[in-house]
Each structure stands twice: as structure tokens, then as C-alpha cells.
Amino acid sequence: MTRRSRRTSGLGKDLLDVAAIPRGEIEYLLTLAARLKDKQRRGLPHPLLQGKTLGLLFQKPSTRTRVSFEAGMNQLGGHALVLPMGDIQLSRGESVADTARVLSRYLDGIVIRTYNHATVEEWAAEATMPVINGLTDLSHPCQALSDLLTIREKKGRLRGLKIAYVGDGNNVANSLIEATAKTGMTIALGCPSGYQPDQHVIDRARLEAAGTGAAIELGHDPQIAVKEADVIYADVWISMGREREQARRLKVLAPYQVNARLVGRAKPDAIVMHCLPAHRGEEITEEVLDGPQSVIIDQAENRLHMQKAILTRLLGKRKQRAS
């Protein structure tokens, strides 16, 4: 049997998906991230996690997730320790349970970036330290939370806005659906048949949306999805682990490219977002990616500030183990 760990904050012990975060906690994280960003911009030290150590265990390549967590932990006065899979005994058959229990004695928290979502759930069940989902095939909660921060910065609010997600209904789409349902936004999805987001995520988010005034609009036509949108969102068509499907995906998703013509169907002041890395000329054109409506670099920067808010919230309340 797995053990249930005590709750340490409004987030609970862990951060595995956006759906499990209370609405008020999302607002708290957004406010905290904005404050931490202001402190950094003003050159004010904020060693809120002095003496804490974060583990980073990545089974998938990463740029923004790894660097933002590592840099963020250092800026908070703590230390980040990268754990290459090939260098630890998990790669030689040690169980997740044994690894999680031991590392909980060494670390104050861990970020897991892996394929199967059940893997991070197993880590969370076995570890007594906080477990943060750095990305699975089902969900990318840290990305979606930082995207909310960017949208609120650019638009001054979240409730009542419309975000159009165009392309492959992947893990990022799933987490954006959960995030918009929590914050009273409308999300309109233009995804081809067979490439729509997870149905369980949609069903659960619709229950949440009923209490916030949010709306989830599913469709196959990107032209309809972007109509009157405040935000247009694109992501890669060939996610990690889907490389063998490249030829078929490129053919099916070709009509879903975010280009100047598609952006022109949204509101004139719509912003364009992409979680990166981008395949220029595939899911988004270079003209749009580098254009005046693009906020992708600000969006990428905000990964750092939201990561710091998440770390402060989860690790900051974990009691130091007595010597």
C-alpha cells in the first residue's frame, strides 16, 4: 500500500495538475509570482528557501523547465541538484518507491519530467517531500500557471477573456483547459479529429467551469476557434515521444498553422503565445512568432517567476528534519 502524506499548503503536498489546485490558491500563486518578479527586477534579494535542496529528475529533454527551476531555486537561496537518469539506480531497476523514500530523506522537494503521468502519481504517493510535475504526456501544470501570469500581465485580467488553442490537443492543451476553467476564461480549441485533448480532462474541467463562468468550446476549425480571441496559443505538432508519427502529423495538422491570416481573424489586440520550443514554419510562421503581437519571450521569462512561486509555496512550509 502507498502512504498518504500530510498536506502542507493550499496546494496540498504536491503539484501534479492544475485541476487539483483550489481556485484561491491559483490567485495566490499569481500574486506571489508577480511580487517575486518585481523583487528580481529591482535587484532585491529574496532568499526564501535558504538551506533547501531541490532535486531535478528529467527523463525528457528540457530547456525552460530545467533552467527556470534551477535558476529559480538558486535565486531563492537554495540549491538545485540535477539527477541524470543514467547516474542513479532507477536506471538499473530500483523501484520508484525505494528511490522516493530515500530521496525524501535527502531533498526538500523534487521535480519529475517524464512520459507516463502515473509515474509522477506514484512518486507523490511514495515520497514524503513535495513532488512537482515538470511535464508528463498528460499534463504540464507549471507551464499553464505561468501562462496565466503572462496573460494577466498583458491583459490586466483573466476572467472573461477568450483564449484560442490551435493544433494538437496535447498535454499543454489539457493543462490550459484546467487553468481556464479555474479562472473564468473561455477556451476555444481548434484541433483535428483524433488530436483533441483528453476527454477526462474536458469532463472534469466542465464541472469546474460551471462555478466560474468559464466555457470550453471544442471544435475542428481553427478559423472559428480564433474568432474574437484575446489570446492565440500554438504548440509543436510533434511532441517528445511522437517522432515516429511525424509524417502523418505534419499532413493532418498543416491546416492548423498559426499564420498572419489566422491571427487577423482574432481581436486586433490579440496576443500570440507559444510555450516553445517552436518549429518555425510548421505550427507557427516566423512572421507571427517574431511579430508585434507575439509575447513568447515574456511568456518564457515568466516560467522563472511562477516556478519560484511554486517552490516557495511548497518547499517553504516543509519543516526542517531534526538532526
Side-chain angles (χ1 to χ4, degrees):
M1 289 181 63
T2 56
R3 307 184 312 279
R4 289 187 177 273
S5 301
R6 62 184 175 83
R7 296 175 68 84
T8 59
S9 76
L11 274 176
K13 181 181 78 72
D14 312 298
L15 196 165
L16 303 187
D17 56 47
V18 179
I21 307 175
R23 298 173 197 168
E25 185 68 23
I26 290 179
E27 177 60 33
Y28 185 95
L29 286 170
L30 291 169
T31 301
L32 178 57
R35 289 174 178 169
L36 292 172
K37 183 174 183 176
D38 179 65
K39 284 182 179 292
Q40 182 179 340
R41 290 285 178 88
R42 294 163 58 196
L44 300 176
H46 42 284
L48 302 173
L49 296 181
Q50 196 163 6
K52 304 281 179 134
T53 303
L54 177 73
L56 301 172
L57 180 60
F58 286 8
Q59 292 180 293
K60 286 186 172 186
S62 174
T63 299
R64 280 148 292 276
T65 301
R66 173 178 170 173
V67 176
S68 58
F69 269 114
E70 192 167 356
M73 194 64 185
N74 292 341
Q75 291 171 19
L76 289 167
H79 178 68
L81 180 65
V82 178
L83 304 169
M85 275 295 295
D87 291 355
I88 63 175
Q89 296 296 340
L90 267 178
S91 65
R92 300 182 65 248
E94 184 172 24
S95 70
V96 167
D98 289 345
T99 307
R101 293 169 188 173
V102 171
L103 291 184
S104 293
R105 303 293 181 96
Y106 301 155
L107 305 172
D108 296 286
I110 192 165
V111 180
I112 309 286
R113 185 179 176 94
T114 188
Y115 292 90
N116 193 336
H117 193 75
T119 301
V120 296
E121 293 178 327
E122 184 180 4
W123 270 90
E126 297 294 347
T128 56
M129 62 181 166
V131 174
I132 299 169
N133 176 4
L135 177 144
T136 66
D137 285 347
L138 179 67
S139 147
H140 200 353
C142 297
Q143 179 69 58
L145 290 170
S146 63
D147 289 339
L148 293 180
L149 177 63
T150 303
I151 294 168
R152 194 168 75 166
E153 282 181 349
K154 301 301 180 182
K155 296 295 182 180
R157 62 188 173 95
L158 295 174
R159 186 175 296 275
L161 295 179
K162 177 182 177 180
I163 177 170
Y165 180 95
V166 177
D168 181 28
N170 57 16
N171 47 6
V172 172
N174 289 333
S175 290
L176 285 172
I177 289 169
E178 294 174 340
T180 53
K182 293 275 185 180
T183 53
M185 301 175 70
T186 292
I187 183 166
L189 297 121
C191 306
S193 179
Y195 293 80
Q196 292 191 306
D198 184 85
Q199 189 60 48
H200 176 69
V201 168
I202 294 168
D203 293 342
R204 184 171 57 180
R206 279 181 166 155
L207 291 175
E208 184 78 42
T212 65
I216 301 165
E217 301 173 357
L218 294 178
H220 302 304
D221 190 337
Q223 306 289 331
I224 295 174
V226 302
K227 186 177 181 180
E228 293 300 309
D230 299 284
V231 181
I232 300 174
Y233 203 112
D235 194 8
V236 294
W237 291 342
I238 305 160
S239 299
M240 289 174 282
R242 304 285 188 181
E243 289 82 4
R244 292 183 179 180
E245 306 170 19
Q246 180 171 345
R248 178 167 58 86
R249 284 177 166 267
L250 290 177
K251 182 178 179 180
V252 171
L253 288 159
Y256 292 81
Q257 183 186 73
V258 174
N259 50 41
R261 184 174 180 181
L262 188 68
V263 172
R265 295 183 64 86
K267 290 182 178 177
D269 62 347
I271 59 174
V272 175
M273 302 181 74
H274 191 304
C275 57
L276 300 177
H279 293 171
R280 293 167 178 258
E282 289 184 9
E283 74 275 2
I284 190 168
T285 63
E286 194 160 8
E287 175 188 14
V288 171
L289 196 64
D290 296 330
Q293 290 174 264
S294 172
V295 298
I296 61 162
I297 301 303
D298 292 336
Q299 179 185 1
E301 179 193 342
N302 280 338
R303 292 295 305 279
L304 171 66
H305 309 299
M306 179 53 71
Q307 254 69 302
K308 287 163 69 174
I310 291 167
L311 291 171
T312 300
R313 194 66 171 145
L314 285 177
L315 276 60
K317 291 191 176 183
R318 192 181 188 217
K319 293 181 179 179
Q320 294 282 2
R321 194 173 282 108
S323 60

